Amino acid sequence: MRLVCVAIPGLVLEIVSADGVLTGAVEVDGQRRTASFAFLPDVVVGEYVVLHSGYAVARLDETDALVTLDLINGRVGE
């Protein structure tokens, strides 16, 4: 079996700065996850981001985020 790392869209719910390190909560398909915003220091609550290995690595507009989640979850064409 071959393992693959997957990046997944999530909605930024909260941002916390502790000692200059930005972390926070991101909702991914109904589940709350902790993420680092080190690569996106100007991210704001309400934006969609692409999460990879616990890091927000890119911004994504809402339409693209929701379509991607539907594809990942097999909900396309229902």
Side-chain angles (χ1 to χ4, degrees):
M1 176 170 76
R2 185 170 184 216
L3 297 177
V4 178
C5 291
V6 176
I8 190 164
L11 177 64
V12 178
L13 300 175
E14 100 182 322
I15 300 168
V16 178
S17 178
D19 297 324
V21 178
L22 292 178
T23 61
V26 176
E27 181 183 322
V28 176
D29 208 25
Q31 295 185 6
R32 190 177 178 104
R33 298 184 184 197
T34 301
S36 169
F37 299 116
F39 298 124
L40 299 174
D42 56 344
V43 70
V44 296
V45 171
E47 283 188 298
Y48 279 88
V49 295
V50 177
L51 287 181
H52 180 70
S53 298
Y55 288 86
V57 295
R59 285 180 177 76
L60 195 60
D61 69 47
E62 182 178 13
T63 300
D64 289 339
L66 296 177
V67 167
T68 301
L69 286 169
D70 284 345
L71 286 168
I72 290 169
N73 292 308
R75 294 187 295 239
V76 175
E78 291 181 358

